[in-house]
Amino acid sequence: MARTAGSHSDITGPRIREAALRLFAKHGYAAVSMRRIASEVGVQAGALYNYIPDKQALLFSLLKGHMDELLEAWDETAPGGDPLARLEAFVRFHIRFTLRRPESIFISYMELRNLEPENFIQIEALRGRYEAVLEQILRDGQAAGNLSVPDTRIAAFALIGMLTGVNTWYREGGRLSEDEVAALYWDMARKAVGAG
Amino acid sequence: MARTAGSHSDITGPRIREAALRLFAKHGYAAVSMRRIASEVGVQAGALYNYIPDKQALLFSLLKGHMDELLEAWDETAPGGDPLARLEAFVRFHIRFTLRRPESIFISYMELRNLEPENFIQIEALRGRYEAVLEQILRDGQAAGNLSVPDTRIAAFALIGMLTGVNTWYREGGRLSEDEVAALYWDMARKAVGAG
DNA sequence: TGTTTATCTGAACGTGCGTTCAGATCAAGC
DNA sequence: GCTTGATCTGAACGCACGTTCAGATAAACA
Protein backbone atom coordinates (compact mmCIF):
# COMPACT_ATOMS: atom_id res chain seq x y z
CA MET A 1 0.00 0.00 0.00
CA ALA A 2 2.92 2.33 0.69
CA ARG A 3 3.55 4.92 -1.94
CA THR A 4 7.04 6.05 -2.89
CA ALA A 5 7.78 9.72 -2.70
CA GLY A 6 7.38 11.54 -5.94
CA SER A 7 5.07 8.95 -7.38
CA HIS A 8 1.95 10.37 -8.82
CA SER A 9 -1.64 9.80 -8.55
CA ASP A 10 -4.69 10.77 -10.43
CA ILE A 11 -6.22 8.27 -8.09
CA THR A 12 -5.06 9.57 -4.73
CA GLY A 13 -7.77 12.22 -4.67
CA PRO A 14 -10.68 9.83 -5.13
CA ARG A 15 -9.08 7.31 -2.81
CA ILE A 16 -8.88 9.89 -0.05
CA ARG A 17 -12.58 10.58 -0.42
CA GLU A 18 -13.47 6.91 -0.45
CA ALA A 19 -11.39 6.15 2.62
CA ALA A 20 -12.73 9.17 4.47
CA LEU A 21 -16.31 8.26 3.62
CA ARG A 22 -15.88 4.70 4.83
CA LEU A 23 -14.07 5.67 8.01
CA PHE A 24 -16.36 8.58 8.88
CA ALA A 25 -19.37 6.30 8.43
CA LYS A 26 -17.87 3.59 10.58
CA HIS A 27 -16.29 5.55 13.40
CA GLY A 28 -17.53 9.11 13.08
CA TYR A 29 -15.80 12.25 11.88
CA ALA A 30 -14.32 13.27 15.21
CA ALA A 31 -13.00 9.79 15.92
CA VAL A 32 -11.09 9.45 12.64
CA SER A 33 -7.67 11.07 12.32
CA MET A 34 -6.02 12.37 9.20
CA ARG A 35 -3.23 9.89 9.81
CA ARG A 36 -5.73 7.05 9.75
CA ILE A 37 -7.23 8.20 6.47
CA ALA A 38 -3.76 8.63 5.00
CA SER A 39 -2.66 5.20 6.09
CA GLU A 40 -5.75 3.69 4.47
CA VAL A 41 -4.74 5.37 1.21
CA GLY A 42 -1.12 4.30 1.64
CA VAL A 43 0.30 7.74 2.06
CA GLN A 44 1.61 10.03 4.79
CA ALA A 45 -0.76 12.46 6.44
CA GLY A 46 0.92 15.49 4.91
CA ALA A 47 0.12 14.28 1.41
CA LEU A 48 -3.60 14.69 2.04
CA TYR A 49 -3.11 18.43 2.01
CA ASN A 50 -2.27 18.35 -1.68
CA TYR A 51 -5.92 17.51 -2.20
CA ILE A 52 -7.88 19.21 0.53
CA PRO A 53 -7.34 22.39 2.54
CA ASP A 54 -8.31 20.78 5.84
CA LYS A 55 -10.32 18.05 7.53
CA GLN A 56 -13.52 20.06 7.74
CA ALA A 57 -13.43 20.72 4.01
CA LEU A 58 -13.14 16.99 3.44
CA LEU A 59 -16.30 16.32 5.43
CA PHE A 60 -18.16 19.14 3.76
CA SER A 61 -17.10 17.98 0.32
CA LEU A 62 -18.42 14.49 1.03
CA LEU A 63 -21.78 15.75 2.25
CA LYS A 64 -22.11 18.33 -0.50
CA GLY A 65 -21.19 15.74 -3.14
CA HIS A 66 -23.75 13.36 -1.75
CA MET A 67 -26.59 15.87 -1.67
CA ASP A 68 -25.79 17.11 -5.17
CA GLU A 69 -25.74 13.59 -6.46
CA LEU A 70 -29.01 12.78 -4.71
CA LEU A 71 -30.82 15.80 -6.13
CA GLU A 72 -29.34 15.33 -9.57
CA ALA A 73 -30.30 11.66 -9.62
CA TRP A 74 -33.84 12.55 -8.65
CA ASP A 75 -34.07 15.19 -11.34
CA GLU A 76 -33.12 12.57 -13.89
CA THR A 77 -35.64 10.10 -12.53
CA ALA A 78 -38.48 12.44 -11.72
CA PRO A 79 -41.61 11.40 -13.56
CA GLY A 80 -44.55 13.66 -14.22
CA GLY A 81 -48.22 12.93 -14.13
CA ASP A 82 -50.24 11.13 -11.52
CA PRO A 83 -49.17 12.11 -7.95
CA LEU A 84 -49.52 8.52 -6.83
CA ALA A 85 -47.14 7.33 -9.55
CA ARG A 86 -44.73 10.10 -8.63
CA LEU A 87 -44.93 9.08 -5.00
CA GLU A 88 -44.16 5.49 -5.88
CA ALA A 89 -41.21 6.65 -7.98
CA PHE A 90 -39.94 8.72 -5.08
CA VAL A 91 -40.23 5.88 -2.59
CA ARG A 92 -38.48 3.41 -4.86
CA PHE A 93 -35.84 5.97 -5.75
CA HIS A 94 -35.12 6.76 -2.12
CA ILE A 95 -34.94 3.12 -1.08
CA ARG A 96 -32.61 2.29 -3.92
CA PHE A 97 -30.38 5.26 -3.23
CA THR A 98 -30.28 4.44 0.46
CA LEU A 99 -29.37 0.82 -0.16
CA ARG A 100 -26.70 1.63 -2.72
CA ARG A 101 -25.00 4.48 -0.90
CA PRO A 102 -25.48 3.53 2.72
CA GLU A 103 -22.35 5.28 3.91
CA SER A 104 -23.18 8.58 2.25
CA ILE A 105 -26.71 8.52 3.60
CA PHE A 106 -25.38 7.61 6.99
CA ILE A 107 -22.87 10.41 7.36
CA SER A 108 -25.18 12.99 5.86
CA TYR A 109 -27.52 12.37 8.78
CA MET A 110 -24.91 11.70 11.44
CA GLU A 111 -22.25 14.27 10.80
CA LEU A 112 -24.35 17.38 10.33
CA ARG A 113 -23.42 18.48 13.81
CA ASN A 114 -19.74 18.37 12.95
CA LEU A 115 -20.15 20.88 10.16
CA GLU A 116 -19.09 24.42 10.82
CA PRO A 117 -22.07 26.80 10.72
CA GLU A 118 -21.67 28.12 7.19
CA ASN A 119 -21.23 24.60 5.86
CA PHE A 120 -24.16 23.33 7.88
CA ILE A 121 -26.42 25.95 6.35
CA GLN A 122 -25.58 24.85 2.83
CA ILE A 123 -26.19 21.17 3.46
CA GLU A 124 -29.35 21.88 5.37
CA ALA A 125 -30.65 23.90 2.42
CA LEU A 126 -30.04 21.00 0.04
CA ARG A 127 -31.75 18.61 2.40
CA GLY A 128 -34.67 21.02 2.54
CA ARG A 129 -34.93 20.96 -1.25
CA TYR A 130 -35.09 17.19 -1.21
CA GLU A 131 -37.78 17.12 1.45
CA ALA A 132 -39.69 19.73 -0.49
CA VAL A 133 -39.81 17.39 -3.47
CA LEU A 134 -41.69 14.82 -1.46
CA GLU A 135 -43.90 17.37 0.20
CA GLN A 136 -44.91 18.78 -3.17
CA ILE A 137 -45.92 15.33 -4.35
CA LEU A 138 -48.02 14.86 -1.24
CA ARG A 139 -49.66 18.24 -1.70
CA ASP A 140 -50.48 17.50 -5.31
CA GLY A 141 -51.91 14.15 -4.34
CA GLN A 142 -53.96 15.73 -1.62
CA ALA A 143 -55.27 18.35 -4.03
CA ALA A 144 -56.09 15.75 -6.65
CA GLY A 145 -57.85 13.61 -4.08
CA ASN A 146 -55.47 10.75 -4.76
CA LEU A 147 -54.41 10.52 -1.17
CA SER A 148 -55.35 11.76 2.24
CA VAL A 149 -52.68 13.44 4.37
CA PRO A 150 -53.70 15.62 7.30
CA ASP A 151 -50.33 17.40 7.38
CA THR A 152 -48.15 17.15 4.29
CA ARG A 153 -45.07 18.55 5.99
CA ILE A 154 -45.08 16.08 8.84
CA ALA A 155 -46.04 13.28 6.47
CA ALA A 156 -42.99 14.06 4.35
CA PHE A 157 -40.74 13.87 7.41
CA ALA A 158 -42.39 10.68 8.55
CA LEU A 159 -42.02 8.99 5.18
CA ILE A 160 -38.40 9.98 4.77
CA GLY A 161 -37.66 8.81 8.30
CA MET A 162 -39.32 5.51 7.60
CA LEU A 163 -37.51 5.00 4.31
CA THR A 164 -34.10 6.07 5.53
CA GLY A 165 -34.42 3.75 8.49
CA VAL A 166 -33.87 0.93 6.06
CA ASN A 167 -30.15 1.29 6.41
CA THR A 168 -30.19 0.57 10.12
CA TRP A 169 -31.02 -3.04 9.41
CA TYR A 170 -30.44 -3.83 5.73
CA ARG A 171 -27.33 -5.86 4.97
CA GLU A 172 -26.31 -6.90 1.50
CA GLY A 173 -26.89 -10.57 0.86
CA GLY A 174 -29.56 -10.73 3.55
CA ARG A 175 -32.95 -12.33 3.42
CA LEU A 176 -34.54 -9.71 1.17
CA SER A 177 -33.52 -8.35 -2.22
CA GLU A 178 -33.50 -4.66 -3.03
CA ASP A 179 -36.73 -5.01 -4.99
CA GLU A 180 -38.45 -6.89 -2.20
CA VAL A 181 -37.45 -4.23 0.30
CA ALA A 182 -38.68 -1.51 -2.02
CA ALA A 183 -41.98 -3.32 -2.51
CA LEU A 184 -42.52 -3.71 1.23
CA TYR A 185 -41.79 -0.07 1.93
CA TRP A 186 -43.90 1.12 -0.95
CA ASP A 187 -46.78 -0.92 0.36
CA MET A 188 -46.54 0.73 3.76
CA ALA A 189 -45.87 4.21 2.43
CA ARG A 190 -48.83 4.04 0.07
CA LYS A 191 -51.18 2.98 2.82
CA ALA A 192 -49.75 5.50 5.28
CA VAL A 193 -50.78 8.39 3.05
CA GLY A 194 -54.24 7.00 2.60
CA ALA A 195 -53.84 5.67 -0.92
CA GLY A 196 -54.84 2.21 0.22
CA MET B 1 -19.98 27.58 38.96
CA ALA B 2 -16.56 26.80 40.43
CA ARG B 3 -16.50 24.35 43.28
CA THR B 4 -14.11 24.70 46.19
CA ALA B 5 -11.89 21.80 46.95
CA GLY B 6 -13.16 19.52 49.63
CA SER B 7 -16.76 20.58 49.19
CA HIS B 8 -19.05 17.69 48.68
CA SER B 9 -21.73 16.82 46.40
CA ASP B 10 -24.51 14.37 46.27
CA ILE B 11 -25.38 16.30 43.18
CA THR B 12 -22.10 16.15 41.27
CA GLY B 13 -22.81 12.63 40.05
CA PRO B 14 -26.14 13.43 38.41
CA ARG B 15 -24.79 16.70 37.09
CA ILE B 16 -21.99 14.90 35.34
CA ARG B 17 -24.47 12.63 33.63
CA GLU B 18 -26.70 15.51 32.63
CA ALA B 19 -23.83 17.52 31.20
CA ALA B 20 -22.41 14.53 29.37
CA LEU B 21 -25.80 13.67 27.90
CA ARG B 22 -26.35 17.19 26.66
CA LEU B 23 -22.86 17.58 25.24
CA PHE B 24 -22.71 14.12 23.66
CA ALA B 25 -26.06 14.79 21.98
CA LYS B 26 -24.96 18.16 20.68
CA HIS B 27 -21.39 17.49 19.58
CA GLY B 28 -20.90 13.73 19.67
CA TYR B 29 -19.02 11.52 22.08
CA ALA B 30 -15.64 11.75 20.38
CA ALA B 31 -15.82 15.52 20.04
CA VAL B 32 -16.50 16.17 23.72
CA SER B 33 -13.58 16.17 26.16
CA MET B 34 -13.66 15.26 29.81
CA ARG B 35 -12.43 18.77 30.56
CA ARG B 36 -15.44 20.20 28.78
CA ILE B 37 -17.86 18.07 30.74
CA ALA B 38 -16.09 18.97 33.98
CA SER B 39 -16.17 22.66 33.22
CA GLU B 40 -19.91 22.43 32.57
CA VAL B 41 -20.32 20.90 36.01
CA GLY B 42 -18.00 23.47 37.56
CA VAL B 43 -15.27 21.08 38.52
CA GLN B 44 -11.82 20.03 37.39
CA ALA B 45 -11.49 17.07 35.04
CA GLY B 46 -9.88 14.88 37.67
CA ALA B 47 -12.94 15.10 39.89
CA LEU B 48 -15.01 13.21 37.33
CA TYR B 49 -13.07 10.09 38.16
CA ASN B 50 -14.60 9.97 41.63
CA TYR B 51 -17.83 9.07 39.85
CA ILE B 52 -16.92 7.12 36.76
CA PRO B 53 -14.02 4.83 35.92
CA ASP B 54 -13.52 6.31 32.45
CA LYS B 55 -15.15 8.12 29.56
CA GLN B 56 -16.38 4.98 27.84
CA ALA B 57 -18.17 3.89 31.02
CA LEU B 58 -19.90 7.24 31.12
CA LEU B 59 -21.28 6.77 27.61
CA PHE B 60 -22.29 3.20 28.31
CA SER B 61 -24.00 4.19 31.53
CA LEU B 62 -26.05 6.83 29.72
CA LEU B 63 -27.15 4.42 27.00
CA LYS B 64 -27.84 1.58 29.40
CA GLY B 65 -29.79 3.90 31.68
CA HIS B 66 -31.85 5.11 28.78
CA MET B 67 -32.71 1.67 27.47
CA ASP B 68 -33.58 0.40 30.94
CA GLU B 69 -35.82 3.36 31.51
CA LEU B 70 -37.46 2.92 28.12
CA LEU B 71 -38.23 -0.75 28.66
CA GLU B 72 -39.35 -0.18 32.22
CA ALA B 73 -41.63 2.65 31.20
CA TRP B 74 -43.18 0.48 28.54
CA ASP B 75 -43.72 -2.37 30.97
CA GLU B 76 -45.64 0.01 33.19
CA THR B 77 -47.69 1.30 30.30
CA ALA B 78 -48.22 -1.86 28.35
CA PRO B 79 -51.89 -2.58 27.93
CA GLY B 80 -53.36 -5.95 27.12
CA GLY B 81 -56.20 -6.86 24.85
CA ASP B 82 -56.88 -5.78 21.32
CA PRO B 83 -53.70 -5.67 19.19
CA LEU B 84 -54.86 -2.46 17.57
CA ALA B 85 -55.25 -0.76 20.93
CA ARG B 86 -51.84 -2.06 21.95
CA LEU B 87 -50.37 -0.69 18.76
CA GLU B 88 -51.89 2.69 19.41
CA ALA B 89 -50.51 2.64 22.92
CA PHE B 90 -47.08 1.76 21.61
CA VAL B 91 -47.10 4.53 19.01
CA ARG B 92 -48.22 7.15 21.49
CA PHE B 93 -45.77 5.89 24.08
CA HIS B 94 -42.87 6.01 21.67
CA ILE B 95 -43.71 9.49 20.41
CA ARG B 96 -44.06 10.83 23.91
CA PHE B 97 -40.84 9.26 25.05
CA THR B 98 -39.02 10.56 21.99
CA LEU B 99 -40.29 14.08 22.49
CA ARG B 100 -39.52 14.15 26.19
CA ARG B 101 -36.08 12.59 26.09
CA PRO B 102 -34.77 13.76 22.73
CA GLU B 103 -31.14 13.74 23.82
CA SER B 104 -31.25 10.20 25.16
CA ILE B 105 -32.98 8.94 22.06
CA PHE B 106 -30.52 10.80 19.92
CA ILE B 107 -27.34 9.45 21.46
CA SER B 108 -28.69 5.94 21.74
CA TYR B 109 -28.94 5.91 17.95
CA MET B 110 -25.88 8.01 17.18
CA GLU B 111 -23.27 6.79 19.58
CA LEU B 112 -23.67 3.06 19.21
CA ARG B 113 -20.57 2.96 17.08
CA ASN B 114 -18.53 4.53 19.85
CA LEU B 115 -19.30 1.72 22.25
CA GLU B 116 -16.66 -0.89 22.82
CA PRO B 117 -17.77 -4.31 21.56
CA GLU B 118 -18.93 -5.81 24.82
CA ASN B 119 -20.90 -2.68 25.65
CA PHE B 120 -22.37 -2.53 22.18
CA ILE B 121 -23.66 -6.07 22.49
CA GLN B 122 -25.55 -5.23 25.67
CA ILE B 123 -27.22 -2.12 24.30
CA GLU B 124 -28.04 -3.86 21.06
CA ALA B 125 -29.73 -6.62 22.99
CA LEU B 126 -31.92 -4.14 24.86
CA ARG B 127 -32.81 -2.41 21.63
CA GLY B 128 -33.73 -5.80 20.20
CA ARG B 129 -36.09 -6.40 23.11
CA TYR B 130 -37.82 -3.11 22.45
CA GLU B 131 -38.21 -3.83 18.76
CA ALA B 132 -39.52 -7.26 19.62
CA VAL B 133 -42.32 -5.66 21.64
CA LEU B 134 -43.59 -3.89 18.55
CA GLU B 135 -43.10 -6.89 16.33
CA GLN B 136 -45.12 -9.06 18.68
CA ILE B 137 -47.99 -6.60 18.57
CA LEU B 138 -47.89 -6.64 14.79
CA ARG B 139 -47.83 -10.42 14.72
CA ASP B 140 -50.78 -10.65 17.06
CA GLY B 141 -52.66 -8.14 14.98
CA GLN B 142 -51.87 -10.05 11.85
CA ALA B 143 -53.02 -13.31 13.42
CA ALA B 144 -56.21 -11.72 14.72
CA GLY B 145 -56.93 -10.21 11.33
CA ASN B 146 -56.88 -6.73 12.81
CA LEU B 147 -54.19 -5.55 10.48
CA SER B 148 -52.37 -6.55 7.35
CA VAL B 149 -48.58 -6.58 7.39
CA PRO B 150 -46.68 -8.53 4.75
CA ASP B 151 -43.51 -8.66 6.86
CA THR B 152 -43.85 -7.94 10.57
CA ARG B 153 -40.12 -7.62 11.15
CA ILE B 154 -39.59 -5.00 8.46
CA ALA B 155 -42.81 -3.25 9.44
CA ALA B 156 -41.55 -2.93 13.00
CA PHE B 157 -38.32 -1.36 11.76
CA ALA B 158 -40.21 0.94 9.44
CA LEU B 159 -42.59 2.12 12.14
CA ILE B 160 -39.85 2.73 14.68
CA GLY B 161 -37.85 4.61 12.06
CA MET B 162 -40.84 6.72 11.21
CA LEU B 163 -41.65 7.49 14.83
CA THR B 164 -38.12 8.19 15.94
CA GLY B 165 -37.65 10.54 13.00
CA VAL B 166 -39.87 12.94 14.88
CA ASN B 167 -36.90 14.27 16.76
CA THR B 168 -35.14 15.43 13.60
CA TRP B 169 -37.70 18.18 13.20
CA TYR B 170 -39.72 18.61 16.41
CA ARG B 171 -38.85 21.63 18.50
CA GLU B 172 -40.57 22.51 21.74
CA GLY B 173 -42.93 25.43 21.39
CA GLY B 174 -43.34 24.82 17.67
CA ARG B 175 -46.48 24.74 15.63
CA LEU B 176 -47.73 21.39 16.93
CA SER B 177 -48.34 20.13 20.45
CA GLU B 178 -47.20 16.75 21.67
CA ASP B 179 -50.71 15.38 21.37
CA GLU B 180 -51.16 16.71 17.86
CA VAL B 181 -47.89 15.13 16.78
CA ALA B 182 -48.89 11.84 18.36
CA ALA B 183 -52.26 11.96 16.62
CA LEU B 184 -50.68 12.61 13.22
CA TYR B 185 -48.19 9.79 13.60
CA TRP B 186 -50.79 7.40 14.92
CA ASP B 187 -52.94 8.16 11.91
CA MET B 188 -50.12 7.29 9.53
CA ALA B 189 -48.91 4.29 11.51
CA ARG B 190 -52.39 2.82 11.71
CA LYS B 191 -52.94 3.13 8.01
CA ALA B 192 -49.46 1.86 7.17
CA VAL B 193 -50.18 -1.47 8.80
CA GLY B 194 -53.46 -1.79 7.01
CA ALA B 195 -55.75 -0.94 9.89
CA GLY B 196 -57.34 1.85 7.90
C1' DT C 1 18.80 12.54 -21.95
C1' DG C 2 18.13 16.43 -18.94
C1' DT C 3 14.98 19.42 -16.78
C1' DT C 4 10.90 20.45 -14.79
C1' DT C 5 7.22 19.87 -11.64
C1' DA C 6 3.63 17.59 -9.32
C1' DT C 7 3.68 14.41 -5.62
C1' DC C 8 5.01 12.48 -1.42
C1' DT C 9 8.04 11.80 2.84
C1' DG C 10 9.43 12.57 7.37
C1' DA C 11 10.06 15.45 10.91
C1' DA C 12 8.43 19.02 13.49
C1' DC C 13 5.08 22.62 15.65
C1' DG C 14 1.86 23.64 19.34
C1' DT C 15 -2.29 21.97 21.36
C1' DG C 16 -5.41 19.19 23.69
C1' DC C 17 -6.50 14.57 24.95
C1' DG C 18 -7.73 10.78 28.90
C1' DT C 19 -6.11 9.64 33.03
C1' DT C 20 -3.45 9.66 37.54
C1' DC C 21 -2.26 11.28 42.00
C1' DA C 22 -0.30 13.87 45.93
C1' DG C 23 -1.96 17.30 48.58
C1' DA C 24 -5.50 20.91 49.87
C1' DT C 25 -10.09 21.54 51.63
C1' DC C 26 -14.15 21.25 54.23
C1' DA C 27 -18.63 18.82 56.02
C1' DA C 28 -19.79 15.58 59.43
C1' DG C 29 -19.35 12.75 63.67
C1' DC C 30 -17.29 12.33 68.08
C1' DG D 1 -12.89 21.53 68.74
C1' DC D 2 -10.58 17.60 66.59
C1' DT D 3 -10.35 14.06 63.72
C1' DT D 4 -11.75 11.62 59.88
C1' DG D 5 -12.69 10.81 55.22
C1' DA D 6 -14.99 12.02 51.16
C1' DT D 7 -14.34 15.47 47.63
C1' DC D 8 -11.87 18.39 44.76
C1' DT D 9 -7.63 20.95 42.87
C1' DG D 10 -3.77 21.50 40.08
C1' DA D 11 -0.05 19.71 38.00
C1' DA D 12 1.77 16.19 35.52
C1' DC D 13 2.15 11.82 32.41
C1' DG D 14 2.63 10.15 27.62
C1' DC D 15 0.30 10.27 23.52
C1' DA D 16 -2.22 11.60 19.40
C1' DC D 17 -4.10 15.32 17.06
C1' DG D 18 -4.34 18.75 12.65
C1' DT D 19 -1.34 21.11 10.07
C1' DT D 20 3.09 22.88 7.91
C1' DC D 21 7.15 22.59 5.21
C1' DA D 22 11.87 21.69 3.48
C1' DG D 23 13.69 18.26 0.90
C1' DA D 24 13.51 13.71 -1.69
C1' DT D 25 11.54 11.37 -5.62
C1' DA D 26 10.13 9.96 -10.06
C1' DA D 27 6.91 10.69 -14.02
C1' DA D 28 6.32 13.85 -17.98
C1' DC D 29 8.05 16.70 -21.34
C1' DA D 30 11.72 19.02 -23.95
Side-chain angles (χ1 to χ4, degrees):
Chain A
M1 217 35 118
R3 199 74 49 81
T4 19
S7 85
H8 330 346
S9 223
D10 302 333
I11 62 167
T12 300
R15 297 233 303 164
I16 289 171
R17 295 171 54 85
E18 286 158 18
L21 175 61
R22 187 175 55 248
L23 292 172
F24 287 168
K26 190 163 187 181
H27 306 287
Y29 172 75
V32 173
S33 70
M34 297 300 271
R35 284 171 177 83
R36 176 93 181 266
I37 296 171
S39 118
E40 202 92 350
V41 176
V43 115
Q44 295 296 317
L48 302 182
Y49 292 85
N50 291 323
Y51 300 90
I52 44 148
D54 52 38
K55 193 188 180 189
Q56 168 74 200
L58 178 53
L59 175 62
F60 176 68
S61 160
L62 289 174
L63 295 193
K64 177 77 160 62
H66 168 67
M67 290 308 299
D68 285 346
E69 198 183 0
L70 179 68
L71 285 164
E72 203 172 317
W74 170 253
D75 283 344
E76 284 171 14
T77 304
D82 182 11
L84 201 58
R86 282 160 59 209
L87 180 60
E88 176 169 4
F90 184 91
V91 168
R92 292 185 183 277
F93 167 83
H94 190 89
I95 289 286
R96 169 157 35 183
F97 211 94
T98 302
L99 294 185
R100 301 217 177 152
R101 302 239 190 309
E103 289 163 336
S104 294
I105 292 274
F106 200 70
I107 67 165
S108 81
Y109 273 85
M110 294 291 240
E111 302 299 353
L112 283 175
R113 61 185 169 181
N114 286 310
L115 288 173
E116 285 161 11
E118 61 269 37
N119 291 334
F120 176 80
I121 288 170
Q122 286 192 57
I123 301 299
E124 202 59 4
L126 293 174
R127 173 188 308 284
R129 278 184 44 196
Y130 186 66
E131 288 161 354
V133 165
L134 175 55
E135 198 188 340
Q136 189 57 54
I137 293 174
L138 295 179
R139 261 206 295 264
D140 291 348
Q142 178 84 353
N146 275 330
L147 39 87
S148 142
V149 190
D151 189 310
T152 52
R153 179 136 251 265
I154 272 54
F157 284 129
L159 286 181
I160 289 183
M162 181 177 103
L163 299 176
T164 303
V166 74
N167 87 3
T168 65
W169 59 267
Y170 183 86
R171 294 297 169 262
E172 202 141 1
R175 151 184 156 237
L176 297 169
S177 72
E178 186 182 298
D179 281 347
E180 288 169 328
V181 173
L184 285 170
Y185 273 86
W186 166 234
D187 177 64
M188 287 185 283
R190 179 175 42 82
K191 292 183 195 157
V193 294
Chain B
M1 217 40 113
R3 201 73 50 81
T4 20
S7 86
H8 323 349
S9 225
D10 302 334
I11 62 169
T12 300
R15 296 233 304 165
I16 290 172
R17 294 171 55 85
E18 286 157 21
L21 176 60
R22 187 175 54 250
L23 292 172
F24 288 168
K26 189 163 188 181
H27 307 287
Y29 173 75
V32 173
S33 70
M34 297 299 272
R35 283 171 178 81
R36 177 95 181 264
I37 296 171
S39 118
E40 203 92 352
V41 176
V43 116
Q44 295 296 318
L48 302 182
Y49 292 85
N50 291 323
Y51 300 89
I52 44 148
D54 53 38
K55 193 187 181 190
Q56 167 74 199
L58 179 53
L59 175 61
F60 175 68
S61 160
L62 289 174
L63 295 193
K64 177 77 159 61
H66 168 68
M67 291 307 299
D68 285 346
E69 198 183 359
L70 179 68
L71 286 165
E72 204 173 316
W74 170 252
D75 284 343
E76 284 170 15
T77 304
D82 182 10
L84 201 57
R86 282 160 60 208
L87 180 60
E88 177 170 4
F90 184 91
V91 168
R92 292 186 183 275
F93 168 82
H94 190 88
I95 290 285
R96 169 156 36 179
F97 211 94
T98 303
L99 293 186
R100 301 215 178 154
R101 300 238 192 309
E103 291 163 335
S104 294
I105 292 274
F106 200 70
I107 67 165
S108 81
Y109 273 84
M110 294 291 240
E111 302 299 353
L112 283 175
R113 60 186 169 182
N114 286 309
L115 288 173
E116 286 161 9
E118 61 268 37
N119 291 335
F120 176 80
I121 287 171
Q122 284 191 58
I123 301 299
E124 202 60 4
L126 293 175
R127 173 188 308 283
R129 278 184 42 197
Y130 186 67
E131 289 161 355
V133 164
L134 175 55
E135 199 188 340
Q136 189 57 53
I137 293 175
L138 295 178
R139 260 205 297 263
D140 291 349
Q142 178 84 355
N146 276 331
L147 39 87
S148 140
V149 190
D151 188 311
T152 52
R153 179 135 249 267
I154 272 53
F157 284 130
L159 286 182
I160 288 183
M162 183 178 102
L163 299 177
T164 302
V166 75
N167 86 5
T168 66
W169 60 267
Y170 184 85
R171 294 297 169 263
E172 204 141 0
R175 158 186 151 234
L176 297 170
S177 72
E178 186 182 299
D179 281 346
E180 289 169 329
V181 173
L184 285 170
Y185 274 85
W186 167 234
D187 178 65
M188 286 186 285
R190 180 175 42 83
K191 292 182 193 159
V193 294

